[in-house]
Amino acid sequence: MKNVQFATFGGGCFWGVEKFLQEIPGVIDAVSGYAGGDLVDPSYTDVCGGRTGHAEVVNVEFDAAVISYSLLLEKFISKYGKTSSSNLDSVSQYRSIVLYRDSEQEEATKKVFAKIEANGGKKIATQIAALEKFYPAEDYHQDYHGSCRKEA
C-alpha cells in the first residue's frame, strides 16, 4: 500500500536536482519550481533576476513505504548539501535549502543534519525553512535533464 508524501529541496539549478531525485527508488515524481521567497507566482525570469528571494527547488512526490523522508533527505544532502556558512545567508536562487511541510519533517530534518554532522565532522550549512508555497516552474523546465542554461 502506497504512503504518498511530499518533500521540497533546492540545491542549485533545479534540472540536475530533479534528475537526481527522479532516479531514487520510491520517488514517484519530481517537479521543478520555486519556493522560499516573497513574490507570488514568480516566473523563471523573475527568480533569475534575484529580487524574489525564491530558490530553484524540486517538489518531490515519494512513497514513504519504499523510502522514508529521512533517507530521501540524506541522499539529497550527500549530493547537494553545503558546508560553507555563506550559504546560510544566501538569497541566491541556487542556494541549498530544505523546505519542510510540518513539524515532523522539521524534526526529521534536524535529526538527519545532526547525524550527518556527527559522522562527517563538518557542519551542514544548507538552509532549513518552512514551506510557505511551492510554485511549479514553466512547462519547458519540467523533465529537462539537460545542463543548466540561461533562458533565451
Side-chain angles (χ1 to χ4, degrees):
M1 176 181 228
K2 280 188 178 179
N3 179 3
V4 177
Q5 295 184 21
F6 293 87
T8 305
F9 307 134
C13 178
F14 47 40
W15 295 318
V17 177
E18 177 188 87
K19 183 177 185 333
F20 171 76
L21 292 169
Q22 284 177 333
E23 294 175 348
I24 296 173
V27 169
I28 299 165
D29 196 15
V31 176
S32 292
Y34 318 108
D38 299 321
L39 184 66
V40 175
D41 201 22
S43 69
Y44 183 71
T45 302
D46 293 330
V47 173
C48 287
R51 295 176 302 277
T52 68
H54 287 293
E56 290 189 16
V57 298
V58 177
N59 196 51
V60 186
E61 179 181 2
F62 65 99
D63 183 352
V66 177
I67 187 167
S68 68
Y69 172 82
S70 294
L71 183 54
L72 184 63
L73 176 60
E74 283 182 36
K75 289 180 179 291
F76 168 77
I77 291 297
S78 73
K79 181 146 177 105
Y80 295 102
K82 299 292 182 200
T83 55
S84 170
S85 62
S86 65
N87 186 73
L88 292 173
D89 299 321
S90 176
V91 293
S92 163
Q93 75 264 23
Y94 298 128
R95 67 190 182 271
S96 179
I97 188 168
V98 173
L99 295 149
Y100 59 85
R101 289 177 149 61
D102 54 33
S103 59
E104 286 180 25
Q105 282 191 353
E106 179 182 22
E107 187 60 32
T109 299
K110 290 176 182 176
K111 286 181 180 177
V112 166
F113 278 40
K115 174 184 168 185
I116 293 171
E117 289 170 2
N119 290 335
K122 288 192 173 186
K123 178 163 177 50
I124 297 172
T126 294
Q127 294 177 9
I128 302 171
L131 177 66
E132 299 293 325
K133 175 94 171 128
F134 170 79
Y135 298 96
E138 298 80 356
D139 287 345
Y140 67 93
H141 290 298
Q142 306 305 327
D143 299 312
Y144 181 77
H145 302 298
S147 61
C148 293
R149 61 172 166 72
K150 297 258 187 216
E151 182 179 49

